[in-house]
Amino acid sequence: MVMKTRTHFALITLGFVAVLLAGCHKPDAEKLKSEGPAPAVVSVAPVQRATISNSIAVTGNLDTLSKTILSAKTTGRVIAVNAREGDRVSRGQVLAQLDPTEVQANVNQSLAALQSNEVKVTQAVTQYKQSISNAQIAVNTARSQVEAAQSNLKKVMSGGRPEEKQQAKDQLLQQQANYDNAHSNYQRQLSLFKQGAISKADLDNAETTFKVQSALLDSYKQAVSISQQGGRPEDIASAQETVRQANLALSNAVANQGNVKVNRDAIVVAQAAVAQARAQVAAARQQLSDLTLRSPINGYVTARTLDPGQTASPGTAILTIVDLRSVYYQPTFAESDFRHIRPGQTVAVTVDAYPGRSFVGRVNTVFPTASQTARQFSVRVLVDNPNDDLRPGMFARGSITTQVHRDAVVVPLTALVPRDQTTTATETSYGTATGGVGVASQKVFITTDGKKAISRNVEVGIQTADTAEITSGLSGGEKLIVKGHTTLSDNAPIKIVNAKTGESAE
């Protein structure tokens, strides 16, 4: 009975207290209702105009476009290697030498053969010129002999007169001179033939001329005798024979002019031999030059596989050289980014070896096909490497700038609010909620009088890690609410507070 009484009393007491409390707060609630909701505390910042860019992050390895393996072109013993791994070499620098003894002997032999063939050309030209001269002299002489023989025959047949006798003597003297000239020419041709300067045909021609002149000399002697004694049948027959032999000699001289072409062909053959000998000399000299191995590029030696004393075979690598000025970066990227990447775009490249440092590159080639397994595309980026800091094989990270907008309206990324944002969203949860970052249609809050928040629908362009481009809805200079805006509604009262100090901006 006592317990029930105490419980009832406690309930009465609690009810009384509640009534008292309700009575005490009723005036404050009515006061709040009459004044409206409390203003939201916010921070504002002016909308800026700036340059904003979009980029795609990629990764890959460094390599070099210019990589040369220095190897021998012929088999030979290595007698010198003038560089080791890590050495810097210049284009044209002698890096290795093979034994040149045997090849040098081939060069000397080829030069001797060339000189011999050049002498043969000189001899052929001399012989050709001499044969032309001899052939023409022989023809002219033969014609003179024919005329003289015919004149002598006429004289023999008609009988001699005093003036004819004198003429016969004069012709004899002339023939004696022709004979002496033919004899001297024959002796000279015989000497040249023994020296190998003329052909056998030229010697035969000179000998024939000499014999004809000798016969004519005898004929003219007979003519003088006949002119003294008068023509006799046997003298006439002899003069006729002389005419016949003179005509035959003329026919032979004319025919011998055709042999000049043979001598001209000999020049062509000798010149061809000279050309072949020169080609052999050039080939031998090239083989000798190939024994000296020079660097074709500027770069660094990365591998040395042969040492002096070893034998090098054609294609055997001796040194490997890379040009670090031609370093390139070949990352891969997703298929969805293919339409954004094109040659000429700027790439910021970083490597772990140089933390905090960025190297400038440009897209050189976008490979047209993707890998069949990963469905990734590749891009070749040429990287500036003036101090040879970057090395092939390094792992690199890159950022390809795909878009650059200058004088763009930009706002902090956190200032954006999805258009379907609910009142339950908070600043800390923003960015993960559906309809957040990445959606083109967003909204922001601005203020014109510093007392009310005004909702403004905007279209978003390029986005970076902390900034967004506004392509529609803002023009720049507006007072943008950047903090305390996630729970605002249009025309909501606000109180601007300095974001750094927390003090009122009023």
Side-chain angles (χ1 to χ4, degrees):
M1 184 69 180
V2 176
M3 292 293 295
K4 290 182 178 181
T5 302
R6 290 178 178 177
T7 301
H8 181 68
F9 178 77
L11 292 173
I12 293 173
T13 302
L14 290 173
F16 180 73
V17 172
V19 171
L20 289 177
L21 291 174
C24 293
H25 286 80
K26 185 173 182 180
D28 292 338
E30 291 177 351
K31 181 179 179 181
L32 291 173
K33 184 175 181 181
S34 62
E35 293 179 356
V41 177
V42 299
S43 295
V44 298
V47 176
Q48 303 289 333
R49 281 186 172 273
T51 298
I52 189 170
S53 60
N54 189 33
S55 61
I56 298 174
V58 291
T59 58
N61 295 321
L62 297 180
D63 206 339
T64 178
L65 291 173
S66 184
K67 179 178 180 181
T68 299
I69 297 177
L70 202 64
S71 59
K73 294 183 179 180
T74 183
T75 301
R77 183 173 62 87
V78 179
I79 62 174
V81 180
N82 303 324
R84 291 192 174 276
E85 295 86 347
D87 288 351
R88 181 176 177 83
V89 297
S90 302
R91 182 177 181 179
Q93 179 179 343
V94 176
L95 300 183
Q97 179 67 55
L98 274 62
D99 188 359
T101 304
E102 183 178 350
V103 178
Q104 183 63 60
N106 292 338
V107 171
N108 295 338
Q109 184 177 0
S110 299
L111 286 172
L114 174 60
Q115 292 175 354
S116 176
N117 283 288
E118 287 176 341
V119 170
K120 290 180 180 179
V121 169
T122 302
Q123 291 176 345
V125 171
T126 301
Q127 183 176 352
Y128 174 65
K129 292 180 179 179
Q130 187 65 40
S131 64
I132 292 176
S133 177
N134 292 340
Q136 188 60 47
I137 291 174
V139 170
N140 293 337
T141 301
R143 285 174 179 168
S144 298
Q145 292 168 354
V146 168
E147 292 174 359
Q150 290 175 345
S151 178
N152 181 61
L153 175 60
K154 183 178 181 181
K155 292 176 183 179
V156 171
M157 294 180 66
S158 62
R161 295 192 298 256
E163 63 270 17
E164 291 175 346
K165 292 179 181 181
Q166 184 60 43
Q167 185 179 5
K169 291 179 180 180
D170 294 340
Q171 289 178 346
L172 176 60
L173 293 174
Q174 179 63 41
Q175 184 56 36
Q176 182 66 48
N178 290 339
Y179 169 83
D180 293 338
N181 183 51
H183 181 265
S184 298
N185 183 58
Y186 172 70
Q187 294 297 327
R188 184 171 59 257
Q189 296 297 317
L190 180 61
S191 176
L192 291 174
F193 176 76
K194 290 179 179 180
Q195 295 175 9
I198 64 172
S199 64
K200 184 64 168 56
D202 292 333
L203 178 62
D204 292 340
N205 187 32
E207 183 179 5
T208 300
T209 301
F210 171 64
K211 290 180 179 180
V212 170
Q213 293 296 330
S214 178
L216 286 174
L217 181 60
D218 293 338
S219 175
Y220 280 112
K221 288 180 180 179
Q222 292 177 6
V224 171
S225 177
I226 291 173
S227 67
Q228 297 295 331
Q229 299 176 3
R232 294 178 298 178
E234 58 270 21
D235 294 332
I236 294 174
S238 175
Q240 290 174 339
E241 178 62 23
T242 301
V243 171
R244 189 186 68 81
Q245 291 182 357
N247 284 324
L248 179 60
L250 177 59
S251 298
N252 290 334
V254 174
N256 285 335
Q257 282 187 314
N259 294 331
V260 173
K261 182 179 182 300
V262 176
N263 294 330
R264 185 176 58 191
D265 293 341
I267 295 176
V268 176
V269 172
Q271 289 174 337
V274 167
Q276 183 178 3
R278 285 176 179 168
Q280 291 174 346
V281 169
R285 284 177 172 168
Q286 184 61 50
Q287 290 178 350
L288 183 63
S289 177
D290 290 342
L291 298 180
T292 301
L293 278 66
R294 302 175 184 272
S295 175
I297 60 174
N298 298 322
Y300 290 86
V301 176
T302 60
R304 169 172 164 163
T305 53
L306 285 183
D307 292 312
Q310 294 180 297
T311 300
S313 301
T316 301
I318 299 177
L319 294 170
T320 302
I321 307 167
V322 297
D323 182 4
L324 299 182
R325 300 296 175 91
S326 66
V327 166
Y328 69 91
Y329 172 46
Q330 188 161 321
T332 58
F333 58 91
E335 180 180 350
S336 58
D337 294 325
F338 183 81
R339 62 189 178 91
H340 298 299
I341 298 178
R342 61 185 180 275
Q345 291 173 332
T346 303
V347 184
V349 181
T350 60
V351 294
D352 293 339
Y354 303 100
R357 183 178 175 185
S358 179
F359 297 84
V360 178
R362 289 192 180 279
V363 175
N364 177 260
T365 304
V366 180
F367 290 81
T369 58
S371 64
Q372 296 296 321
T373 54
R375 298 296 179 184
Q376 296 280 315
F377 284 87
S378 295
V379 63
R380 177 172 293 166
V381 178
L382 301 184
V383 186
D384 293 339
N385 190 27
N387 299 320
D388 298 340
D389 295 327
L390 299 177
R391 301 301 172 95
M394 285 183 173
F395 178 77
R397 300 172 180 83
S399 177
I400 303 177
T401 302
T402 58
Q403 291 176 293
V404 177
H405 292 174
R406 292 177 173 80
D407 194 31
V409 177
V410 295
V411 300
L413 193 63
T414 55
L416 298 176
V417 179
R419 292 185 184 180
D420 59 351
Q421 177 79 21
T422 64
T423 56
T424 59
T426 65
E427 293 183 36
T428 57
S429 66
Y430 177 74
T432 60
T434 302
V437 178
V439 178
S441 298
Q442 307 280 337
K443 69 178 179 179
V444 295
F445 286 95
I446 63 172
T447 180
T448 57
D449 57 3
K451 297 180 179 180
K452 289 184 179 182
I454 300 174
S455 176
R456 182 74 61 84
N457 291 335
V458 296
E459 299 296 325
V460 180
I462 297 176
Q463 297 181 21
T464 66
D466 54 5
T467 308
E469 175 193 21
I470 303 302
T471 60
S472 175
L474 296 175
S475 59
E478 295 92 343
K479 291 182 179 180
L480 178 70
I481 299 176
V482 295
K483 190 172 182 180
H485 57 291
T486 55
T487 58
L488 291 177
S489 60
D490 195 24
N491 291 318
I494 59 172
K495 180 180 181 181
I496 300 175
V497 175
N498 189 297
K500 293 183 178 180
T501 64
E503 300 176 355
S504 174
E506 297 181 356

mmCIF file of all heavy atoms in Angstrom, residues 441-460:
data_model
loop_
_atom_site.group_PDB
_atom_site.id
_atom_site.type_symbol
_atom_site.label_atom_id
_atom_site.label_comp_id
_atom_site.label_asym_id
_atom_site.label_seq_id
_atom_site.Cartn_x
_atom_site.Cartn_y
_atom_site.Cartn_z
ATOM 1 N N SER A 441 25.295 19.319 -65.320
ATOM 2 C CA SER A 441 24.302 20.254 -64.794
ATOM 3 C C SER A 441 24.388 20.277 -63.271
ATOM 4 O O SER A 441 24.094 19.273 -62.606
ATOM 5 C CB SER A 441 22.886 19.841 -65.232
ATOM 6 O OG SER A 441 22.779 19.887 -66.645
ATOM 7 N N GLN A 442 24.791 21.420 -62.706
ATOM 8 C CA GLN A 442 24.920 21.590 -61.256
ATOM 9 C C GLN A 442 24.252 22.911 -60.876
ATOM 10 O O GLN A 442 23.665 23.601 -61.722
ATOM 11 C CB GLN A 442 26.404 21.603 -60.854
ATOM 12 C CG GLN A 442 27.216 20.420 -61.333
ATOM 13 C CD GLN A 442 27.023 19.196 -60.467
ATOM 14 O OE1 GLN A 442 26.641 19.313 -59.301
ATOM 15 N NE2 GLN A 442 27.260 18.025 -61.026
ATOM 16 N N LYS A 443 24.391 23.257 -59.602
ATOM 17 C CA LYS A 443 23.951 24.580 -59.178
ATOM 18 C C LYS A 443 24.910 25.107 -58.134
ATOM 19 O O LYS A 443 25.665 24.355 -57.508
ATOM 20 C CB LYS A 443 22.516 24.552 -58.640
ATOM 21 C CG LYS A 443 22.364 23.817 -57.305
ATOM 22 C CD LYS A 443 20.906 23.882 -56.838
ATOM 23 C CE LYS A 443 20.736 23.130 -55.497
ATOM 24 N NZ LYS A 443 19.347 23.191 -55.015
ATOM 25 N N VAL A 444 24.904 26.438 -57.983
ATOM 26 C CA VAL A 444 25.710 27.088 -56.961
ATOM 27 C C VAL A 444 24.817 28.099 -56.258
ATOM 28 O O VAL A 444 23.699 28.396 -56.713
ATOM 29 C CB VAL A 444 26.949 27.792 -57.578
ATOM 30 C CG1 VAL A 444 27.885 26.783 -58.199
ATOM 31 C CG2 VAL A 444 26.518 28.837 -58.595
ATOM 32 N N PHE A 445 25.335 28.620 -55.154
ATOM 33 C CA PHE A 445 24.616 29.672 -54.436
ATOM 34 C C PHE A 445 25.474 30.917 -54.436
ATOM 35 O O PHE A 445 26.680 30.876 -54.153
ATOM 36 C CB PHE A 445 24.296 29.251 -52.997
ATOM 37 C CG PHE A 445 23.195 28.243 -52.897
ATOM 38 C CD1 PHE A 445 23.491 26.889 -52.826
ATOM 39 C CD2 PHE A 445 21.860 28.628 -52.907
ATOM 40 C CE1 PHE A 445 22.490 25.946 -52.738
ATOM 41 C CE2 PHE A 445 20.851 27.681 -52.818
ATOM 42 C CZ PHE A 445 21.157 26.334 -52.738
ATOM 43 N N ILE A 446 24.825 32.038 -54.778
ATOM 44 C CA ILE A 446 25.507 33.328 -54.736
ATOM 45 C C ILE A 446 24.677 34.252 -53.853
ATOM 46 O O ILE A 446 23.560 33.928 -53.437
ATOM 47 C CB ILE A 446 25.670 33.942 -56.142
ATOM 48 C CG1 ILE A 446 24.298 34.230 -56.757
ATOM 49 C CG2 ILE A 446 26.476 33.014 -57.054
ATOM 50 C CD1 ILE A 446 24.370 35.010 -58.070
ATOM 51 N N THR A 447 25.226 35.390 -53.544
ATOM 52 C CA THR A 447 24.474 36.409 -52.808
ATOM 53 C C THR A 447 24.745 37.755 -53.435
ATOM 54 O O THR A 447 25.869 38.042 -53.890
ATOM 55 C CB THR A 447 24.858 36.412 -51.315
ATOM 56 O OG1 THR A 447 24.094 37.427 -50.645
ATOM 57 C CG2 THR A 447 26.347 36.695 -51.140
ATOM 58 N N THR A 448 23.726 38.562 -53.483
ATOM 59 C CA THR A 448 23.885 39.905 -54.050
ATOM 60 C C THR A 448 23.862 40.980 -52.974
ATOM 61 O O THR A 448 24.460 42.050 -53.153
ATOM 62 C CB THR A 448 22.767 40.176 -55.069
ATOM 63 O OG1 THR A 448 21.495 40.017 -54.432
ATOM 64 C CG2 THR A 448 22.889 39.200 -56.249
ATOM 65 N N ASP A 449 23.143 40.685 -51.867
ATOM 66 C CA ASP A 449 23.029 41.678 -50.792
ATOM 67 C C ASP A 449 23.712 41.249 -49.506
ATOM 68 O O ASP A 449 23.716 41.983 -48.516
ATOM 69 C CB ASP A 449 21.548 41.972 -50.499
ATOM 70 C CG ASP A 449 20.768 40.711 -50.142
ATOM 71 O OD1 ASP A 449 21.413 39.617 -50.062
ATOM 72 O OD2 ASP A 449 19.551 40.794 -49.965
ATOM 73 N N GLY A 450 24.277 40.011 -49.534
ATOM 74 C CA GLY A 450 24.941 39.531 -48.334
ATOM 75 C C GLY A 450 23.994 39.021 -47.273
ATOM 76 O O GLY A 450 24.428 38.622 -46.187
ATOM 77 N N LYS A 451 22.683 38.971 -47.558
ATOM 78 C CA LYS A 451 21.703 38.522 -46.573
ATOM 79 C C LYS A 451 20.920 37.307 -47.016
ATOM 80 O O LYS A 451 20.417 36.555 -46.179
ATOM 81 C CB LYS A 451 20.732 39.666 -46.267
ATOM 82 C CG LYS A 451 21.410 40.871 -45.629
ATOM 83 C CD LYS A 451 20.401 41.979 -45.348
ATOM 84 C CE LYS A 451 21.085 43.183 -44.695
ATOM 85 N NZ LYS A 451 20.103 44.275 -44.401
ATOM 86 N N LYS A 452 20.809 37.090 -48.314
ATOM 87 C CA LYS A 452 20.052 35.957 -48.826
ATOM 88 C C LYS A 452 20.884 35.163 -49.827
ATOM 89 O O LYS A 452 21.692 35.743 -50.572
ATOM 90 C CB LYS A 452 18.757 36.431 -49.498
ATOM 91 C CG LYS A 452 17.728 36.957 -48.538
ATOM 92 C CD LYS A 452 16.439 37.314 -49.272
ATOM 93 C CE LYS A 452 15.380 37.836 -48.301
ATOM 94 N NZ LYS A 452 14.113 38.148 -49.008
ATOM 95 N N ALA A 453 20.667 33.857 -49.820
ATOM 96 C CA ALA A 453 21.336 32.976 -50.784
ATOM 97 C C ALA A 453 20.441 32.817 -52.005
ATOM 98 O O ALA A 453 19.236 32.582 -51.877
ATOM 99 C CB ALA A 453 21.613 31.612 -50.164
ATOM 100 N N ILE A 454 21.036 32.984 -53.165
ATOM 101 C CA ILE A 454 20.287 32.848 -54.423
ATOM 102 C C ILE A 454 20.822 31.635 -55.168
ATOM 103 O O ILE A 454 22.029 31.510 -55.424
ATOM 104 C CB ILE A 454 20.438 34.102 -55.307
ATOM 105 C CG1 ILE A 454 19.915 35.332 -54.558
ATOM 106 C CG2 ILE A 454 19.726 33.922 -56.639
ATOM 107 C CD1 ILE A 454 20.152 36.620 -55.293
ATOM 108 N N SER A 455 19.928 30.722 -55.520
ATOM 109 C CA SER A 455 20.321 29.514 -56.263
ATOM 110 C C SER A 455 20.526 29.869 -57.741
ATOM 111 O O SER A 455 19.713 30.590 -58.322
ATOM 112 C CB SER A 455 19.239 28.444 -56.121
ATOM 113 O OG SER A 455 19.561 27.326 -56.912
ATOM 114 N N ARG A 456 21.616 29.362 -58.327
ATOM 115 C CA ARG A 456 21.915 29.639 -59.737
ATOM 116 C C ARG A 456 22.318 28.319 -60.422
ATOM 117 O O ARG A 456 23.284 27.665 -60.025
ATOM 118 C CB ARG A 456 23.053 30.646 -59.847
ATOM 119 C CG ARG A 456 23.425 31.037 -61.270
ATOM 120 C CD ARG A 456 22.387 31.954 -61.873
ATOM 121 N NE ARG A 456 22.215 33.201 -61.174
ATOM 122 C CZ ARG A 456 22.975 34.292 -61.351
ATOM 123 N NH1 ARG A 456 23.977 34.261 -62.208
ATOM 124 N NH2 ARG A 456 22.728 35.396 -60.681
ATOM 125 N N ASN A 457 21.500 27.916 -61.414
ATOM 126 C CA ASN A 457 21.846 26.702 -62.176
ATOM 127 C C ASN A 457 23.035 26.996 -63.105
ATOM 128 O O ASN A 457 23.065 28.038 -63.762
ATOM 129 C CB ASN A 457 20.663 26.224 -63.009
ATOM 130 C CG ASN A 457 19.533 25.686 -62.145
ATOM 131 O OD1 ASN A 457 19.768 25.239 -61.021
ATOM 132 N ND2 ASN A 457 18.317 25.729 -62.644
ATOM 133 N N VAL A 458 23.989 26.067 -63.157
ATOM 134 C CA VAL A 458 25.201 26.251 -63.971
ATOM 135 C C VAL A 458 25.491 24.978 -64.752
ATOM 136 O O VAL A 458 25.025 23.889 -64.401
ATOM 137 C CB VAL A 458 26.426 26.611 -63.094
ATOM 138 C CG1 VAL A 458 26.243 27.944 -62.399
ATOM 139 C CG2 VAL A 458 26.716 25.502 -62.089
ATOM 140 N N GLU A 459 26.249 25.161 -65.840
ATOM 141 C CA GLU A 459 26.759 24.039 -66.630
ATOM 142 C C GLU A 459 28.277 23.964 -66.416
ATOM 143 O O GLU A 459 28.973 24.972 -66.501
ATOM 144 C CB GLU A 459 26.453 24.215 -68.121
ATOM 145 C CG GLU A 459 24.969 24.292 -68.445
ATOM 146 C CD GLU A 459 24.244 23.003 -68.117
ATOM 147 O OE1 GLU A 459 24.860 21.924 -68.293
ATOM 148 O OE2 GLU A 459 23.078 23.070 -67.682
ATOM 149 N N VAL A 460 28.754 22.764 -66.150
ATOM 150 C CA VAL A 460 30.151 22.552 -65.793
ATOM 151 C C VAL A 460 30.917 22.020 -67.006
ATOM 152 O O VAL A 460 30.451 21.116 -67.700
ATOM 153 C CB VAL A 460 30.276 21.567 -64.611
ATOM 154 C CG1 VAL A 460 31.747 21.348 -64.253
ATOM 155 C CG2 VAL A 460 29.513 22.104 -63.408
#
